[in-house]
Amino acid sequence: RRGRRGGGGFADFFMPGGHRGGGGLPPGFFFMPMGPPPSFGGRRGPGRRGRGGGRRYMDEDEDSDSEDSEDWSEYGPYRRGSGKMPPKPALTSDELREEGNAAFKSGQLSAAIRHYTTAIERLQAEKNAPNAAVPSSPDSFDERHATLLSNRSAAYVRHGLFEQGLLDARKCVEKRPQWVKAHQRLGIALKANGEFVEAKGAFEKALSLLASQEVEDSEMHSVLTKALQETIDAAHAQAEERRLEQEKAEREAAIKAKQEANRKAKEEKQARERQEKARKAAEEKARKKEARERQRKQQEEFEERERKEAAAAAAEAEAEAARLKAARAAKAKEEAQAAEAAAARHKAEKAEAKEARRLEWLRKQQEAAMAGGGSERASADPRASAGVSPGDGEGIGMGEEAAVEAG
């Protein structure tokens, strides 16, 4: 209840200002850098009704220059009450290597690699430092460098970065060529990288170096022998796998070559079929063109014959019309001549009849005159006694004139 009302209870300790505005820790307390905490004291934190003083803390400008306070001037900006602490002293390469080993054993491979890398850089700085004559470890700098490279190579290989692990292992062998563990690390990196033949040589080198040592290390010998046998088995398996892959590649190449040959044969067949089809199409086109040309010529010949026949028929019809016209003209002329002849003949017959009647009348007149005189009436009008009207005489006279004119 006191905590809830700002009285300096549990909430005042862990929550700035308390649950309801009481006292408590200063803001940002849990994010302050580690180091000697600032002195608590000074004015009381705000609490409800003046109570709930909670914990007190020191301001920057309060009691900073007291006589009994510690002298922080040597730390420069890291003054007492400023919230800043002086940096920790840098770790040595051996300490960083130990941290890397601890991280490696706990499975924190990225942290181990980072520690080993920093240790290598720190070791180089220590080597170049003025006081580098007395190293913290009895080993030489090259041996310590080789150890760090070996450890980082193991971390790289365990982390799956085989190329980096192999590079560190080679550098380790260069630094310590007579170190058994360097060749062991190189064999492990080569084996992890799939280079079993070279890994076998590295393990054999490590065994030979181990045999040349005065102190016998049976555990290392068994480890190296086991690794060598595993490498030999892996090399055999790899060779067998490569042989199978080679056979498979050869079979696939043969199948691919056969497929390629089939494809080419199919393409050639298709090309021949296309050429044959094109040739037949060209022949068919030429044949159709020739047939159209022949049909066109036949059509032209037919039309020419029709034109000639039409012209001949027209000429014949024209000739027939002329002949008929001439025949009609001749017939008309003949008919006209016949009509004229008939008219002339009729006229001649009529003239002859008239002449015969006139002659008969004259004969009768002569006979009457010869008969002796006749009566006065007969002498006065001889035509009346002969039974001829006066008009007949006139007609005879006109007929005679007509006959004379006609003659």
Side-chain angles (χ1 to χ4, degrees):
R1 183 174 181 182
R2 286 183 61 197
R4 289 195 301 270
R5 296 171 64 94
F10 181 80
D12 289 336
F13 184 80
F14 285 98
M15 299 181 65
H19 184 69
R20 296 183 61 180
L25 296 177
F29 177 80
F30 292 103
F31 301 97
M32 293 173 64
M34 298 298 294
S39 176
F40 290 98
R43 67 175 180 272
R44 187 180 300 272
R48 186 176 181 184
R49 297 179 183 177
R51 300 184 308 159
R55 294 182 181 269
R56 296 185 298 172
Y57 55 90
M58 175 72 71
D59 287 339
E60 293 182 0
D61 56 349
E62 183 177 1
D63 295 336
S64 59
D65 297 330
S66 60
E67 296 180 357
D68 58 345
S69 63
E70 184 181 358
D71 185 10
W72 285 57
S73 61
E74 60 177 342
Y75 296 108
Y78 304 100
R79 297 177 64 250
R80 184 177 179 181
S82 63
K84 298 182 180 179
M85 299 303 299
K88 293 182 179 180
L91 299 177
T92 64
S93 59
D94 293 335
E95 292 173 344
L96 289 169
R97 176 171 58 83
E98 293 299 329
E99 289 189 1
N101 293 340
F104 182 83
K105 290 178 182 178
S106 63
Q108 301 176 7
L109 300 177
S110 298
I113 292 171
R114 185 171 61 252
H115 288 311
Y116 290 141
T117 303
T118 308
I120 292 171
E121 295 173 355
R122 189 64 48 80
L123 179 63
Q124 189 65 30
E126 292 174 358
K127 182 178 180 182
N128 298 330
N131 57 350
V134 182
S136 60
S137 175
D139 298 332
S140 65
F141 284 103
D142 289 340
E143 292 178 354
R144 292 161 64 193
H145 192 186
T147 302
L148 290 172
L149 289 172
S150 174
N151 293 350
R152 193 172 69 172
S153 174
Y156 273 137
V157 172
R158 184 75 64 83
H159 202 43
L161 303 173
F162 303 131
E163 293 291 338
Q164 292 87 333
L166 180 58
L167 183 61
D168 278 356
R170 292 188 187 277
K171 291 180 180 179
C172 180
V173 172
E174 291 177 1
K175 293 290 182 181
R176 297 183 65 180
Q178 299 301 321
W179 190 26
V180 176
K181 197 169 184 180
H183 293 278
Q184 179 194 12
R185 191 67 64 200
L186 179 60
I188 293 173
L190 288 169
K191 181 182 176 183
N193 209 34
E195 302 177 13
F196 299 109
V197 177
E198 193 174 353
K200 176 176 173 291
F203 287 127
E204 290 175 350
K205 179 66 176 178
L207 284 171
S208 66
L209 290 174
L210 184 63
S212 64
Q213 293 180 357
E214 296 179 357
V215 180
E216 183 179 357
D217 192 349
S218 58
E219 183 179 358
M220 177 63 73
H221 187 273
S222 62
V223 170
L224 290 174
T225 304
K226 182 180 178 182
L228 178 60
Q229 186 60 40
E230 290 177 354
T231 304
I232 293 173
D233 295 340
H236 291 165
Q238 185 184 40
E240 182 66 19
E241 184 179 358
R242 288 179 178 176
R243 185 184 64 81
L244 294 176
E245 289 179 355
Q246 182 67 22
E247 292 179 356
K248 182 179 178 181
E250 291 176 356
R251 288 194 302 270
E252 290 178 353
I255 294 172
K256 188 175 181 181
K258 186 176 180 180
Q259 291 176 352
E260 185 68 17
N262 294 335
R263 185 184 63 80
K264 288 183 178 180
K266 186 177 180 181
E267 289 180 354
E268 291 176 357
K269 182 179 178 181
Q270 291 177 353
R272 289 195 300 271
E273 290 178 353
R274 287 194 297 269
Q275 292 177 358
E276 184 68 18
K277 187 176 180 181
R279 184 185 62 79
K280 289 182 178 180
E283 291 179 355
E284 182 68 17
K285 186 176 180 180
R287 187 182 62 79
K288 289 182 178 180
K289 184 177 180 180
E290 184 179 358
R292 288 195 300 269
E293 187 68 19
R294 187 169 57 252
Q295 186 177 2
R296 185 183 64 78
K297 289 182 179 180
Q298 292 177 357
Q299 183 69 19
E300 289 178 354
E301 292 176 357
F302 177 74
E303 292 176 355
E304 185 66 20
R305 286 196 303 271
E306 283 188 346
R307 285 195 297 270
K308 290 181 179 180
E309 290 176 359
E316 185 177 356
E318 187 176 354
E320 182 66 19
R323 187 179 62 78
L324 291 175
K325 185 177 180 181
R328 286 195 295 271
K331 185 176 180 182
K333 186 175 180 181
E334 290 177 357
E335 290 178 352
Q337 289 176 357
E340 288 178 357
R345 189 170 56 252
H346 179 69
K347 189 175 181 179
E349 289 177 355
K350 187 175 180 181
E352 289 177 357
K354 287 182 178 181
E355 183 64 21
R357 284 195 299 271
R358 186 179 68 79
L359 293 176
E360 182 67 22
W361 179 76
L362 289 175
R363 185 182 62 77
K364 287 181 179 181
Q365 286 293 332
Q366 289 175 2
E367 287 178 357
M370 290 176 63
S375 61
E376 293 180 359
R377 186 178 178 180
S379 61
D381 193 2
R383 289 178 294 178
S385 60
V388 180
S389 63
D392 292 336
E394 296 175 357
I396 293 172
M398 292 175 64
E400 292 176 353
E401 294 175 358
V404 172
E405 292 176 359

